[in-house]
Amino acid sequence: MMGWGLLMLSLHVLSFLVSGVTSGHTSSYVRTEFPSTDIPLESEWFAIPKGYNAPQQVHITQGDYDGKAVIVSWVTPEEPGPAEVFYGKDKQYDQKAEGTTTNYTFYDYKSGYIHHCLVNGLEYNTKYYYKIGSGDSAREFWFETPPAIDPDASYTFGIIGDLGQTFNSLSTLQHYEKTGGQTVLFVGDLSYADRYEHNDGILWDSWGRLVERSTAYQPWIWNAGNHEIEYRPDLGETSTFKPYLHRYMTPYLASKSSSPMWYAVRRASAHIIVLSSYSPFVKYTPQWLWLKNEFKRVDREKTPWLIVLMHSPMYNSNEAHYMEGESMRAAFEKWFVKYKVDLVFAGHVHAYERSYRISNVNYNITSGNRYPVPNKSAPVYITVGDGGNQEGLASRFYDPQPDYSAFREASYGHSVLQLKNRTHAVYQWNRNDDGNNVPAETVVFHNQYWTSSTRRRRLKKNHFHLENLEDLISLF
């Protein structure tokens, strides 16, 4: 007889085996503690590392297309110092990579010296140790590379958005660290420095020190949000994304992108596409042309899980930022359906919401269905803009809940996506329940590519066959 946890998982599996859309649910949970105020800058959570010119704000991201490289980034506050990374499979650090150093000014703020170093030629499924800085101020960290690209490579992603640097933000980080997540998919809005007078760059520094507890040890796949734009002509700052682009590198050239704002990586069994909600994306623009070509590069036989990241959600039933993603939906949704994207993660709205598999591709301004309809080829759209920032929660959802919305709740939290194999993934949204980590929703997703009847028959013949629900559950 199944235990309670197994029974609950079975119900979730069954819910996604049935076709069509059922009624959605709006959670009645109301958060009561932890006000949305930033942690004081003198807090221990923002502590500056000991030693003269010690590296700080250390973070890594994937450095190539297929997961055999990382970009290591850090800041030295007093002087440039060496832009070198010593690394190896043990703490002998028998290899060295050299990087570049930059800095910037924003109005009356001058950044420290920002270092970026590509460490490539790594082996899959390997733990590497690395050291940066010099003398007594040197600091040591480690990271693990992903498994080789393979359709059945299991891997766990965390999904975080709109984080900020409040006590709620810290709670999100602490909870995520306990999940076993191996890489974070970050959907935009990092430091919220633009909420301070003159877009105070000191808040970029404090945020980098706050998140270092995670970013120094595992890749965060970066995406920019509206709070990274920082267009301030009144301050003489007329370029966009200036602090973000100086501080956070992306491997955009590896995916033939012309801009670090949009790019793609492959990791384990996933092909991840990062889009920029605040860069031109209409027809014939560089981002549009790149995405058109990138979808053609996707090989679902090797990376069956196709995941898209953006900041502004295409489907959102919250009053906050309502319909702001509509123009990108009109530009890209037909491709999402054509190529059977599995999941689209977005932030921006400070609440949680998951959709059914729906699309509105038949609508135009003169004819066609005006409402989203069930579509088995469409992705599930998930909004996770609930990391914990100072702007507070978006608690006002439209009533009644639209048919396309499966579950929604105005709470802080994060998500975890466990890719089990080429056919199934377990997804969980974790609520920061007044400081405690509470799993609020668990769903089993079927892979869009391998759910076709032809491919199921091929998988049954050549790989394995799920005889019944018990066999499916045994995969987890």
Side-chain angles (χ1 to χ4, degrees):
M1 184 175 180
M2 296 186 196
W4 175 251
L6 200 58
L7 176 59
M8 292 302 293
L9 179 57
S10 305
L11 292 175
H12 283 298
V13 173
L14 288 172
S15 71
F16 270 75
L17 289 175
V18 296
S19 60
V21 171
T22 58
S23 58
H25 174 67
T26 300
S27 172
S28 60
Y29 176 81
V30 178
R31 187 171 177 80
T32 59
E33 297 181 7
F34 282 23
S36 298
T37 54
D38 279 349
I39 302 171
L41 288 175
E42 63 272 15
S43 168
E44 61 178 340
W45 301 110
F46 299 135
I48 296 174
K50 296 180 181 179
Y52 173 76
N53 206 41
Q56 59 173 266
Q57 306 171 50
V58 183
H59 54 274
I60 65 174
T61 192
Q62 185 160 319
D64 64 354
Y65 198 52
D66 286 336
K68 296 185 72 175
V70 298
I71 300 170
V72 182
S73 302
W74 69 97
V75 176
T76 50
E78 307 297 337
E79 58 182 79
E84 300 172 332
V85 175
F86 294 89
Y87 67 100
K89 297 178 183 178
D90 54 39
K91 292 189 177 182
Q92 297 301 313
Y93 304 113
D94 56 356
Q95 299 182 75
K96 183 179 79 169
E98 296 187 3
T100 60
T101 302
T102 186
N103 63 355
Y104 71 94
T105 59
F106 193 98
Y107 190 57
D108 57 356
Y109 168 81
K110 182 178 180 179
S111 77
Y113 298 93
I114 304 166
H115 308 271
H116 302 292
C117 186
L118 176 66
V119 179
N120 57 17
L122 303 174
E123 298 177 18
Y124 286 124
N125 257 336
T126 302
K127 185 172 184 177
Y128 286 91
Y129 299 87
Y130 70 100
K131 181 171 68 172
I132 53 179
S134 58
D136 294 337
S137 299
R139 301 182 67 199
E140 299 176 305
F141 305 91
W142 56 265
F143 62 85
E144 294 180 351
T145 54
I149 301 297
D150 184 88
D152 289 309
S154 61
Y155 203 74
T156 302
F157 292 99
I159 304 96
I160 299 174
D162 301 70
L163 188 58
Q165 43 196 307
T166 71
F167 286 102
N168 291 306
S169 315
L170 176 61
S171 180
T172 294
L173 287 170
Q174 291 172 328
H175 294 157
Y176 168 67
E177 290 168 359
K178 300 175 182 178
T179 65
Q182 296 165 280
T183 291
V184 168
L185 307 179
F186 193 83
V187 292
D189 283 358
L190 287 71
S191 71
Y192 286 79
D194 66 331
R195 297 262 302 166
Y196 285 77
E197 186 178 13
H198 302 154
N199 296 44
D200 193 346
I202 290 175
L203 277 299
W204 275 108
D205 295 321
S206 59
W207 192 83
R209 293 194 296 271
L210 176 69
V211 300
E212 182 187 270
R213 56 187 298 138
S214 175
T215 60
Y217 298 94
Q218 63 176 250
W220 282 39
I221 307 302
W222 300 109
N223 185 18
N226 57 297
H227 285 281
E228 280 73 70
I229 298 174
E230 301 204 65
Y231 174 68
R232 291 294 303 271
D234 57 315
L235 302 179
E237 298 292 347
T238 56
S239 62
T240 55
F241 302 101
K242 185 178 182 180
Y244 171 79
L245 290 174
H246 276 82
R247 292 172 179 269
Y248 294 92
M249 296 281 285
T250 65
Y252 69 100
L253 293 175
S255 59
K256 304 183 186 332
S257 169
S258 60
S259 169
M261 301 298 294
W262 58 86
Y263 62 99
V265 295
R266 305 197 305 174
R267 198 166 185 87
S269 54
H271 193 121
I272 301 158
I273 293 175
V274 180
L275 298 178
S276 175
S277 297
Y278 304 101
S279 302
F281 54 76
V282 297
K283 196 171 185 178
Y284 309 125
T285 59
Q287 185 171 194
W288 185 93
L289 291 169
W290 172 83
L291 182 60
K292 181 180 180 181
N293 290 326
E294 183 62 25
F295 271 129
K296 295 175 182 177
R297 297 179 71 189
V298 177
D299 184 351
R300 306 295 281 274
E301 294 284 329
K302 294 180 179 178
T303 51
W305 293 97
L306 183 52
I307 300 168
V308 174
L309 311 181
M310 61 182 62
H311 186 64
S312 186
M314 290 183 176
Y315 286 95
N316 163 38
S317 65
N318 198 294
E319 291 185 17
H321 305 301
Y322 184 65
M323 295 287 286
E324 286 185 19
E326 178 64 10
S327 53
M328 183 170 274
R329 185 203 65 77
F332 293 151
E333 186 181 28
K334 61 182 180 296
W335 288 345
F336 290 3
V337 173
K338 176 182 178 180
Y339 291 100
K340 295 189 175 182
V341 171
D342 290 289
L343 300 163
V344 177
F345 291 103
H348 201 32
V349 180
H350 301 163
Y352 173 75
E353 186 168 17
R354 174 179 58 84
S355 79
Y356 294 106
R357 293 199 184 278
I358 45 86
S359 75
N360 204 8
V361 294
N362 293 326
Y363 173 68
N364 59 54
I365 60 174
T366 57
S367 63
N369 194 324
R370 294 181 298 151
Y371 305 102
V373 296
N375 189 329
K376 292 181 179 179
S377 295
V380 171
Y381 295 87
I382 300 176
T383 300
V384 285
D386 52 354
N389 69 84
Q390 64 165 239
E391 290 182 326
L393 292 168
S395 58
R396 298 175 63 180
F397 288 103
Y398 280 104
D399 187 32
Q401 185 170 0
D403 291 340
Y404 66 76
S405 176
F407 181 82
R408 56 189 190 174
E409 179 177 312
S411 292
Y412 293 119
H414 71 280
S415 297
V416 175
L417 177 67
Q418 302 175 59
L419 306 182
K420 295 296 183 179
N421 51 43
R422 73 183 69 192
T423 61
H424 292 84
V426 177
Y427 168 80
Q428 184 171 285
W429 174 60
N430 300 283
R431 175 201 300 139
N432 295 356
D433 183 7
D434 297 330
N436 298 314
N437 182 26
V438 177
E441 184 183 48
T442 303
V443 182
V444 173
F445 289 123
H446 293 196
N447 183 265
Q448 289 287 73
Y449 179 78
W450 285 100
T451 53
S452 75
S453 58
T454 302
R455 296 187 186 97
R456 279 204 307 270
R457 287 195 295 271
R458 177 155 59 90
L459 188 61
K460 173 183 175 181
K461 179 179 179 181
N462 299 327
H463 195 67
F464 61 85
H465 180 47
L466 302 177
E467 293 292 346
N468 51 44
L469 184 60
E470 293 287 349
D471 288 338
L472 173 59
I473 294 170
S474 71
L475 289 173
F476 312 110

